[in-house]
Amino acid sequence: MINYHQPLFRPPAEANSIIIQVTLGCSFNKCSFCSMYEIKKFQVRELADIFLDIDKLSYYEETRRVFLADGDALACETSFLIEVLKYLKKSFPKLQRVSSYGSPYNLLEKSLDDLKLLRENGLSLVYYGIESGNHELLKYINKPMKPEKMIEGLNKATSANMKISCTIILGLGGKNLSIQHIEDTAKLVNECVHINYLSTLQLGLTDTKEDDFFKRFEKKNKEFVFCSDEDMLEEQKKLISLINPKKSIIFRSNHASNSLPLKGTLPKDKDNLLDVLNMALEDESLLRPKFLRSF
Ligand code: SF4
């Protein structure tokens, strides 16, 4: 078996995938809300070590899905990733899908030709944290990125025929920035050519991140006031009602942080999703108990 470098994370949809650590940590590792890789120094693993891990798992001949960890395997050189993808294809003859996390910075750094090459060699799905479409808020959380640049990166991945799975964090702007957060996020989603999958998380902070997170708001003379479950469900309602995508989006709120699991296709299921949200807002016994949640 593989000795993974802990902690190890993967998206909920990759629960049944083989996980191969191509990098350790996150090449950015500065977002003020994120503690996922705070104890890891970013590094690209040696190709020989990655191949060894693949060899150890290659007896799973039926493998159809592989997820490349850690935080943003897409930060690697394209030629390096292609070596990994080729080795995966050789080792798992039934392989259908390879995916990885990709940050906004990664997608901007890769050219369209790079992304096309990666797609041709099997990388077909990129998980991407939008977090918010509000530029000010992205600066507050220390993930400064212009929304139009995110749209540019995401559309480039779509042009390369990759699928995209994006996440948005409810409650990220607190009560004070809630309206801007949701309105600008819906705008960003609507301007993308095609986001295939979209999910929402509810903000949660570990003890190690709280001070830095609050201080960054205070520096901009903004007080951060936590949103309640009810506030976040209202944000969810507003977001869903404002999303009018150019192509259908599979929508989920299945992350462990969510108070209310939801699934549907947008815009087709918009009314049903809003009905479920309205019911939950009237009857909080429908919400997942807090002790069963984690960020
Ligand atoms: S949110 Fe993503 S980009 Fe930001 S530090 Fe965490 S893993 Fe890295």
Side-chain angles (χ1 to χ4, degrees):
M1 283 308 289
I2 294 186
N3 280 325
Y4 288 111
H5 296 248
Q6 299 292 345
L8 179 69
F9 298 96
R10 49 125 184 102
E14 301 293 336
N16 297 318
S17 305
I18 290 259
I19 302 181
I20 300 292
Q21 278 178 306
V22 170
T23 55
L24 303 182
C26 161
S27 69
F28 184 63
N29 212 17
K30 291 183 196 148
C31 303
S32 66
F33 62 89
C34 174
S35 54
M36 285 167 78
Y37 304 106
E38 63 185 342
I39 59 165
K40 279 187 176 178
K41 189 174 177 330
F42 178 75
Q43 71 180 84
V44 179
R45 293 184 69 216
E46 293 293 330
L47 205 50
D49 293 338
I50 298 169
F51 286 178
L52 206 59
D53 282 355
I54 296 172
D55 289 345
K56 284 183 190 165
L57 295 170
S58 60
Y59 65 90
Y60 288 114
E61 289 173 1
E62 295 301 311
T63 296
R64 285 174 165 76
R65 291 182 175 189
V66 171
F67 175 72
L68 305 180
D70 271 343
D72 59 342
L74 211 53
C76 299
E77 291 291 330
T78 300
S79 55
F80 180 90
L81 280 174
I82 287 173
E83 292 292 310
V84 176
L85 292 166
K86 283 188 170 152
Y87 201 77
L88 284 170
K89 204 185 277 181
K90 204 168 74 180
S91 308
F92 300 111
K94 296 188 180 171
L95 191 61
Q96 291 174 349
R97 178 174 106 181
V98 183
S99 58
S100 81
Y101 287 126
S103 76
Y105 308 100
N106 302 152
L107 277 190
L108 284 179
E109 279 157 14
K110 293 267 182 252
S111 69
L112 177 59
D113 285 345
D114 282 336
L115 293 178
K116 280 183 176 168
L117 270 174
L118 291 169
R119 176 65 189 91
E120 280 161 21
N121 282 280
L123 184 69
S124 54
L125 173 64
V126 173
Y127 292 94
Y128 180 106
I130 292 175
E131 330 304 6
S132 175
N134 181 263
H135 189 204
E136 283 307 300
L137 178 51
L138 288 167
K139 286 193 254 178
Y140 291 2
I141 61 164
N142 206 25
K143 195 174 187 177
M145 173 64 62
K146 288 188 176 157
E148 54 270 30
K149 286 286 171 194
M150 286 205 267
I151 295 166
E152 181 187 319
L154 289 165
N155 286 347
K156 194 168 24 167
T158 302
S159 297
N161 201 25
M162 287 177 168
K163 287 190 174 171
I164 304 165
S165 180
C166 291
T167 47
I168 290 163
I169 304 180
L170 299 173
L172 189 63
K175 284 181 189 273
N176 291 334
L177 290 174
S178 178
I179 294 172
Q180 300 93 308
H181 169 40
I182 296 304
E183 286 181 353
D184 289 346
T185 302
K187 194 163 165 251
L188 184 153
V189 170
N190 291 341
E191 285 180 21
C192 286
V193 172
H194 193 199
I195 290 175
N196 304 79
Y197 308 96
L198 182 68
S199 28
T200 50
L201 286 67
Q202 286 193 193
L203 178 70
L205 296 172
T206 58
D207 294 346
T208 53
K209 296 305 265 189
E210 271 188 3
D211 279 356
D212 182 44
F213 183 84
F214 295 135
K215 269 189 199 140
R216 285 178 187 278
F217 278 81
E218 283 159 17
K219 265 191 214 156
K220 313 268 180 183
N221 291 323
K222 287 268 182 224
E223 188 194 359
F224 184 86
V225 183
F226 262 109
C227 289
S228 63
D229 280 344
E230 190 185 347
D231 297 327
M232 289 197 244
L233 293 179
E234 289 290 354
E235 284 196 345
Q236 182 92 281
K237 261 178 67 179
K238 191 170 166 86
L239 180 72
I240 289 172
S241 54
L242 289 175
I243 288 181
N244 293 304
K246 298 186 200 313
K247 288 187 181 172
S248 295
I249 296 176
I250 296 175
F251 178 80
R252 297 272 183 275
S253 67
N254 57 353
H255 186 265
S257 61
N258 288 108
S259 60
L260 183 70
L262 290 171
K263 61 178 184 179
T265 302
L266 291 172
K268 181 171 75 69
D269 299 325
K270 193 182 269 203
D271 289 345
N272 290 347
L273 292 166
L274 293 175
D275 285 347
V276 175
L277 278 157
N278 281 329
M279 274 193 293
L281 278 163
E282 280 173 18
D283 178 2
E284 66 173 39
S285 72
L286 296 174
L287 303 185
R288 183 189 276 157
K290 285 210 163 75
F291 69 90
L292 291 178
R293 303 187 215 160
S294 66
F295 187 65

